[in-house]
């Protein structure tokens, strides 16, 4: 999805890299840079995983009540657009958003995520990940291309300001040059204001430890419980808290 209203600024920040004394027991750690159009963005690659720090803009995409006519959804309708054109909702033959015709959220648009159930109907809300229920994160194309991350891959996301963390799934491809975005459920799990209109944080307190190749692929969804269980297994196999403490500034 594309942020248009500017209520929350997505901050691209500097990576907090541990001092040599902290990383002396850390094998396979190196600092890389992602080239955005206006700046380079430092990340730390650690034994196949990729760590970066950023803010967290709250994404409502995929929630059945994310968007609707006259801003009646969880988020501003303008945030479902890119350059004035709708991009984060299902469109009809006339190029206009299709409305849900029945159910609890009748009259709302059908909001989408890049990660979708390959066997599902494009017009069914359950085909996409519900931002209000599943912790997910968003990455820009530059990051995806450089580190081989695929939709469905997993990450450990930590709020370094309060110590709260959650496992999350890569579910949406964001605009170029912007990084630091997660679902309503992820913001809530991290102890942030989860309101898509004005919540989240622009401070670089959120650490994203992404595990490329850890998912089921772009055509398969996971529940919040499955994301948590699978993420914990991947994190433990990677080295868990011991490796994270040795290789980064996260305590």
């Amino acid at each position: 999805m594309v942020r248009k209203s500017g209520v929350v600024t997505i901050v691209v920040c500097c990576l907090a890299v541990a001092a040599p004394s902290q990383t002396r027991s850390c094998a396979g750690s190196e600092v890389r840079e992602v080239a955005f159009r206006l700046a380079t963005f430092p990340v730390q690659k650690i034994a196949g995983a990729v760590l970066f720090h950023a803010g967290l803009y709250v994404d409502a995409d995929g929630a059945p009540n994310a968007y609707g006519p006259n801003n009646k959804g969880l988020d501003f309708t303008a945030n479902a657009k890119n350059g004035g054109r709708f991009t984060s909702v299902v469109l009809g033959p006339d190029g206009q958003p299709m409305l849900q015709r029945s159910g609890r959220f009748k009259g709302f648009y059908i909001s989408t995520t890049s990660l979708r159930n390959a066997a599902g109907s494009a017009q069914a809300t359950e085909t996409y990940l519900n931002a209000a229920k599943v912790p997910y994160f968003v990455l820009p194309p530059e990051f995806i291309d450089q580190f081989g991350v695929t939709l469905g891959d997993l990450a450990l996301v930590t709020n370094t300001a309060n110590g709260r963390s959650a496992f999350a799934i890569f579910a949406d491809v964001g605009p170029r040059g912007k990084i630091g975005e997660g679902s309503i459920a992820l913001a809530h799990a991290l102890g942030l204001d989860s309101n898509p209109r004005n919540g989240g944080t622009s401070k670089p307190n959120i650490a994203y430890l992404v595990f490329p190749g850890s998912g089921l692929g772009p055509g398969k969804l996971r529940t919040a419980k499955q994301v948590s269980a699978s993420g914990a297994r991947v994190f433990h196999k990677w080295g868990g808290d011991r490796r994270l403490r040795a290789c980064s500034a996260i305590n």
Side-chain angles (χ1 to χ4, degrees):
M1 65 92 70
V2 176
R3 187 64 179 171
K4 185 178 179 181
S5 66
V7 174
V8 178
T9 301
I10 298 177
V11 172
V12 173
C13 69
C14 295
L15 178 71
V17 180
S21 61
Q22 291 175 285
T23 59
R24 62 181 181 272
S25 61
C26 179
S29 175
E30 58 180 316
V31 175
R32 299 277 190 92
E33 289 187 338
V34 178
F36 291 144
R37 186 171 65 88
L38 298 178
T40 57
F41 178 68
V43 303
Q44 187 180 359
K45 190 171 182 181
I46 310 169
V50 183
L51 174 67
F52 66 90
H53 290 202
L56 191 148
Y57 159 69
V58 182
D59 190 351
D61 287 5
N65 56 338
Y67 305 107
N70 303 313
N71 288 318
K72 74 174 183 177
L74 294 172
D75 202 356
F76 298 106
T77 303
N79 289 328
K81 296 180 179 180
N82 182 14
R85 300 178 61 184
F86 283 98
T87 58
S88 298
V89 296
V90 176
L91 303 180
D94 59 356
Q96 294 302 307
M98 296 185 69
L99 299 177
Q100 297 176 52
R101 298 184 178 277
S102 62
R104 179 183 175 188
F105 299 110
K106 179 180 178 180
F108 285 85
Y109 299 149
I110 304 167
S111 179
T112 64
T113 53
S114 302
L115 180 62
R116 54 168 292 175
N117 179 1
S121 166
Q123 299 177 20
T125 57
E126 58 269 22
T127 296
Y128 312 98
L129 274 185
N130 187 339
K133 294 184 177 181
V134 181
Y136 72 67
F137 61 99
V138 182
L139 292 174
E142 300 96 324
F143 190 100
I144 298 167
D145 294 342
Q146 183 164 338
F147 296 104
V149 184
T150 303
L151 285 167
D153 282 349
L154 303 170
L156 173 67
V157 186
T158 302
N159 183 346
T160 62
N162 61 18
R164 295 181 63 170
S165 63
F167 292 102
I169 188 169
F170 173 36
D172 227 359
V173 178
R176 289 186 175 276
K178 292 186 177 181
I179 195 165
E181 192 172 348
S183 68
I184 296 168
L186 178 59
H188 178 75
L190 298 180
L192 299 171
D193 181 346
S194 60
N195 188 331
R197 299 194 179 209
N198 53 26
T201 180
S202 61
K203 296 180 180 180
N205 294 331
I206 310 301
Y208 300 78
L209 181 66
V210 183
F211 300 98
S214 60
L216 299 176
K220 298 180 180 180
L221 305 187
R222 275 174 158 156
T223 65
K225 185 175 181 180
Q226 290 169 338
V227 169
S228 181
S230 297
R233 287 193 294 269
V234 170
F235 180 56
H236 177 75
K237 184 176 180 180
W238 173 79
D241 288 328
R242 183 174 181 179
R243 169 164 265 166
L244 188 56
R245 285 194 300 267
C247 295
S248 74
I250 302 174
N251 296 314

